[in-house]
């Protein structure tokens, strides 16, 4: 497998989930995090794991698209988009806003969404973690695969499981090819520091469950030499066990 980090940058997010570039706002108060989707290239697929915030550079081009361009990859080559949950910093990069509404950023990709996570989002009107304008445009796309099961396999390479924790129906992914295992714990395991300090974070829907999952995943990662993808880590993208 080839793993490409599509890091949009390091940010600081305030209490109402306004994001600012950390480098430009070093004194800003809030949670410091990267926003870092990943492209996994296997023999059969170009897999995007979460889609970022849709942050643009000074030229008005999506940063994730710019990185893909530098890697000589066209957005039309992406075959699958795996969405762990529906917070705006994980989904907004799926679409591009135009003068006539939204269009798909990855026109040939199937988008995998957990249906119960969508139901939770719409029950959370007013929650600033969601961008309901983008979310409502996203679910109108024709290439969505609605997921209902607690766990299963999308194909022989991709395993998913609804684990909860950060959100009630957040799902994680494991991609396996040629004895190589890539694991994505999404916002239950977004930074390496989450493994050093066993803390139940109040920002999670169920912080105790997320904490327990991290303990279990770390043990399994060591035993099976996982490569763990860190979506929000300020410095690292992949943690090799």
């Amino acid at each position: 497998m080839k793993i490409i980090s599509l890091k949009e940058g390091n940010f600081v997010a305030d209490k109402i989930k306004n994001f600012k570039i950390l480098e430009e706002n070093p004194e800003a108060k809030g949670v410091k995090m990267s926003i870092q989707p990943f492209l996994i290239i296997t023999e059969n697929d170009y897999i995007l794991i979460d889609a970022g915030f849709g942050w643009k550079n000074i030229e008005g081009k999506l940063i994730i698209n710019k990185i893909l361009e530098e890697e000589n990859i066209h957005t039309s080559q992406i075959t699958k988009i795996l969405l762990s949950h529906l917070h705006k910093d994980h989904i907004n990069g799926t679409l591009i806003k135009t003068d006539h509404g939204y269009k798909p950023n990855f026109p040939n990709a199937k988008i995998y969404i957990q249906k119960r996570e969508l139901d939770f989002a719409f029950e959370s009107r007013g929650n600033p973690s969601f961008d309901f304008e983008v979310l409502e445009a996203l679910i109108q796309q024709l290439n969505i695969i609605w997921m209902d099961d607690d766990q299963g396999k999308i194909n022989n390479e991709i395993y998913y499981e609804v684990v909860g924790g950060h959100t009630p129906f957040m799902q994680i992914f494991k991609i396996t090819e040629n004895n190589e295992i890539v694991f994505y714990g999404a916002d239950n395991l977004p930074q390496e520091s989450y493994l050093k300090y066993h803390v139940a974070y109040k920002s999670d829907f169920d912080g105790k469950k997320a904490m327990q999952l991290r303990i279990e995943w770390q043990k399994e990662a060591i035993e099976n030499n996982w490569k763990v993808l860190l979506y929000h880590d300020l410095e690292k993208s992949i943690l090799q066990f």
Side-chain angles (χ1 to χ4, degrees):
M1 280 182 280
K2 182 176 182 180
I3 306 171
I4 300 173
S5 165
L6 304 178
K7 185 171 181 175
E8 295 183 295
N10 290 334
F11 299 84
V12 57
D14 63 22
K15 291 182 179 180
I16 56 173
K17 296 299 185 293
N18 290 319
F19 287 80
K20 297 179 180 178
I21 295 287
L22 181 58
E23 185 179 1
E24 298 172 359
N25 301 273
E27 304 302 322
K29 294 182 178 180
V31 179
K32 297 177 177 61
M33 67 180 79
S34 73
I35 298 179
Q36 185 166 222
F38 292 89
L39 179 66
I40 310 295
I41 303 174
T42 68
E43 184 178 349
N44 300 312
D45 280 300
Y46 283 65
I47 305 163
L48 183 64
I49 301 186
D50 282 336
F53 192 73
W55 204 266
K56 296 179 180 179
N57 61 18
I58 57 175
E59 300 168 347
K61 185 167 189 143
L62 266 64
I63 291 172
I64 57 175
N65 292 12
K66 180 66 173 174
I67 299 171
L68 289 173
E69 187 179 282
E70 292 168 354
E71 295 284 343
N72 295 314
I73 297 169
H74 196 276
T75 54
S76 62
Q77 292 177 254
I78 308 305
T79 55
K80 291 179 173 64
I81 302 173
L82 311 180
L83 297 181
S84 62
H85 61 298
L86 298 173
H87 286 169
K88 60 188 178 184
D89 56 319
H90 290 255
I91 73 163
N92 281 20
T94 57
L95 301 176
I96 297 175
K97 191 171 186 178
T98 73
D99 293 338
H100 307 288
Y102 289 91
K103 69 175 185 179
N105 190 19
F106 306 98
N108 296 324
K110 294 180 180 178
I111 304 173
Y112 292 80
I113 300 176
Q114 179 56 233
K115 181 63 169 63
R116 287 169 290 176
E117 182 69 14
L118 177 68
D119 294 338
F120 168 72
F122 281 125
E123 291 167 1
S124 307
R125 290 281 186 181
N127 185 333
S129 292
F130 299 99
D131 185 331
F132 289 99
E133 180 181 331
V134 173
L135 184 55
E136 288 173 353
L138 174 61
I139 64 175
Q140 301 303 316
Q141 303 303 305
L142 300 177
N143 50 350
I144 292 177
I145 306 297
W146 293 108
M147 307 167 74
D148 293 305
D149 294 334
D150 289 336
Q151 62 184 47
K153 299 193 79 173
I154 292 172
N155 59 20
N156 289 333
E157 300 165 343
I158 306 170
Y159 169 83
Y160 71 90
E161 183 177 350
V162 178
V163 297
H166 182 64
T167 63
F169 300 102
M170 196 188 76
Q171 53 190 4
I172 56 90
F173 301 100
K174 190 188 300 179
I175 302 173
T176 304
E177 185 181 59
N178 298 328
N179 297 317
E180 184 180 13
I181 300 173
V182 172
F183 176 79
Y184 180 61
D187 282 10
N188 283 347
L189 181 46
Q191 300 180 353
E192 183 181 16
S193 63
Y194 279 51
L195 295 175
K196 296 179 180 179
Y197 311 103
H198 297 312
V199 176
Y201 292 95
K202 293 181 179 179
S203 56
D204 290 334
F205 180 81
D206 187 341
K208 290 183 178 179
K209 184 174 185 180
M211 178 181 68
Q212 184 59 42
L213 285 168
R214 286 191 288 274
I215 294 171
E216 296 170 6
W217 290 338
Q218 185 175 23
K219 182 174 182 293
E220 193 171 351
I222 293 169
E223 292 173 351
N224 295 285
N225 304 118
W226 285 0
K227 292 180 178 178
V228 175
L229 307 180
L230 302 171
Y231 193 84
H232 287 308
D233 199 284
L234 294 168
E235 298 178 357
K236 286 189 176 180
S237 56
I238 304 169
L239 191 58
Q240 172 70 68
F241 283 89

